[in-house]
Amino acid sequence: NMLDFVFAVDDSVTWHMMNLLKNRNHYSFLKFFGPKQITSMQSYGAGIYYNTLVPCNGRMIKYGVISTDTLIDDLFHWKTLYVAGRLQKPVKILTQNENSKLQAALVSNLKSAVTAAFLMLPESFSEEDLYMQIAGLSYSGDFRMIIGEDRSKVQNIVKPNIPHFQKLYSTILQDCPQVVYKHHLGRLEASIDKSPEGQFAQLMALPKTLQQKITSLVNPPGKNRDVEEILLQVAHDPDCGFVVHQG
């Protein structure tokens, strides 16, 4: 399997300039346009620039470069959910500088993933169900999954990695009043508040971009209702979880 790296860098132009000097052969024809043009390309789509099929220590790797500010924005607001979705699953963080805003954004992303999963799950569910729902979030809108890329991909991510998911989410779940951790059994039991009040509180805690997507799905054109009013309507909808999934 190809090893996948993501580098969050504070100054993309300088980073690409230094990397072009060291590893020019990693780049496509874009190397001829220089670091500023590569950084400009990086800002499109999910805000990440990839070098792929790079031989390293006897195996193939690929690596993406994203600006720290773009990463933080995606973690907090799920602007594209591309890198935020990857970081909802167990990854190995190789090194991290003391950026308190980035640290807060990483935690916020995990909390948002749990909140979205709670809205889409039934009132009670297993720990594996929760991790399956979380791991599936970033694939919900992925066209590759719709046209037939391995549908068991989510299961293949979760089942061998339950201990890693537990480590990633244990602090958040232990602080969550709706979840009871049965330490002696090594599993959690959850009972989610599916009342309109409970669902409204969860909807209001979702990342901004997802709230906007839900709003645009439910709010007919020409109506200028605010987000809070629409989310209150969704909270009373028996299909609330499906609306969140569509968003």
Side-chain angles (χ1 to χ4, degrees):
N1 289 342
M2 192 179 295
L3 202 55
D4 190 348
F5 292 88
V6 173
F7 302 131
V9 302
D10 293 342
D11 179 349
S12 298
V13 175
T14 302
W15 195 92
H16 284 298
M17 183 175 72
M18 293 172 72
N19 198 41
L20 279 163
L21 291 172
K22 285 185 175 181
N23 301 302
R24 192 172 174 82
N25 60 322
H26 291 184
Y27 289 81
S28 68
F29 69 92
L30 282 175
K31 59 177 167 271
F32 298 111
F33 294 99
K36 285 186 179 176
Q37 192 62 41
I38 293 168
T39 301
S40 175
M41 289 293 294
Q42 184 180 306
S43 66
Y44 287 101
I48 187 165
Y49 173 88
Y50 259 98
N51 281 329
T52 61
L53 299 172
V54 176
C56 180
N57 293 344
R59 66 182 298 175
M60 281 293 181
I61 70 163
K62 60 178 178 175
Y63 61 90
V65 183
I66 188 169
S67 83
T68 308
D69 288 342
T70 301
L71 174 58
I72 288 170
D73 192 38
D74 197 36
L75 291 168
F76 273 128
H77 304 303
W78 289 6
K79 193 172 179 185
T80 68
L81 197 59
Y82 187 78
V83 180
R86 287 161 179 245
L87 292 171
Q88 290 162 1
K89 305 173 189 73
V91 297
K92 174 71 174 168
I93 295 182
L94 298 173
T95 181
Q96 191 178 340
N97 62 13
E98 295 299 313
N99 184 328
S100 57
K101 193 173 181 186
L102 176 57
Q103 192 56 48
L106 287 163
V107 174
S108 173
N109 180 43
L110 299 181
K111 286 181 176 175
S112 296
V114 169
T115 302
F118 281 176
L119 281 159
M120 289 188 278
L121 285 162
E123 196 170 346
S124 56
F125 49 84
S126 71
E127 186 172 12
E128 188 176 308
D129 291 337
L130 174 64
Y131 300 142
M132 287 285 290
Q133 192 73 60
I134 289 171
L137 287 174
S138 54
Y139 294 116
S140 299
D142 188 337
F143 75 94
R144 291 173 304 175
M145 298 300 277
I146 296 162
I147 60 170
E149 187 180 288
D150 189 6
R151 287 180 183 277
S152 60
K153 188 169 186 173
V154 174
Q155 205 167 28
N156 293 341
I157 290 168
V158 173
K159 279 191 177 292
N161 288 301
I162 293 282
H164 297 296
F165 274 95
Q166 287 172 327
K167 188 178 177 186
L168 189 59
Y169 286 96
S170 62
T171 304
I172 289 164
L173 293 174
Q174 282 165 13
D175 291 342
C176 180
Q178 295 168 313
V179 171
V180 179
Y181 236 119
K182 304 274 183 177
H183 284 285
H184 59 291
L185 298 174
R187 63 187 174 90
L188 62 82
E189 286 185 2
S191 181
I192 304 305
D193 183 359
K194 291 290 179 181
S195 70
E197 295 77 19
Q199 294 195 136
F200 179 63
Q202 290 168 353
L203 288 163
M204 289 298 289
L206 290 174
K208 184 174 67 178
T209 307
L210 181 52
Q211 288 181 340
Q212 289 167 346
K213 293 285 185 189
I214 292 167
T215 302
S216 62
L217 283 169
V218 176
N219 197 32
K223 289 272 184 104
N224 271 333
R225 297 185 297 162
D226 63 25
V227 171
E228 195 169 326
E229 186 185 345
I230 293 160
L231 293 182
L232 187 58
Q233 177 193 324
V234 174
H236 282 81
D237 188 335
D239 291 327
C240 173
F242 180 66
V243 176
V244 173
H245 178 82
Q246 280 186 303

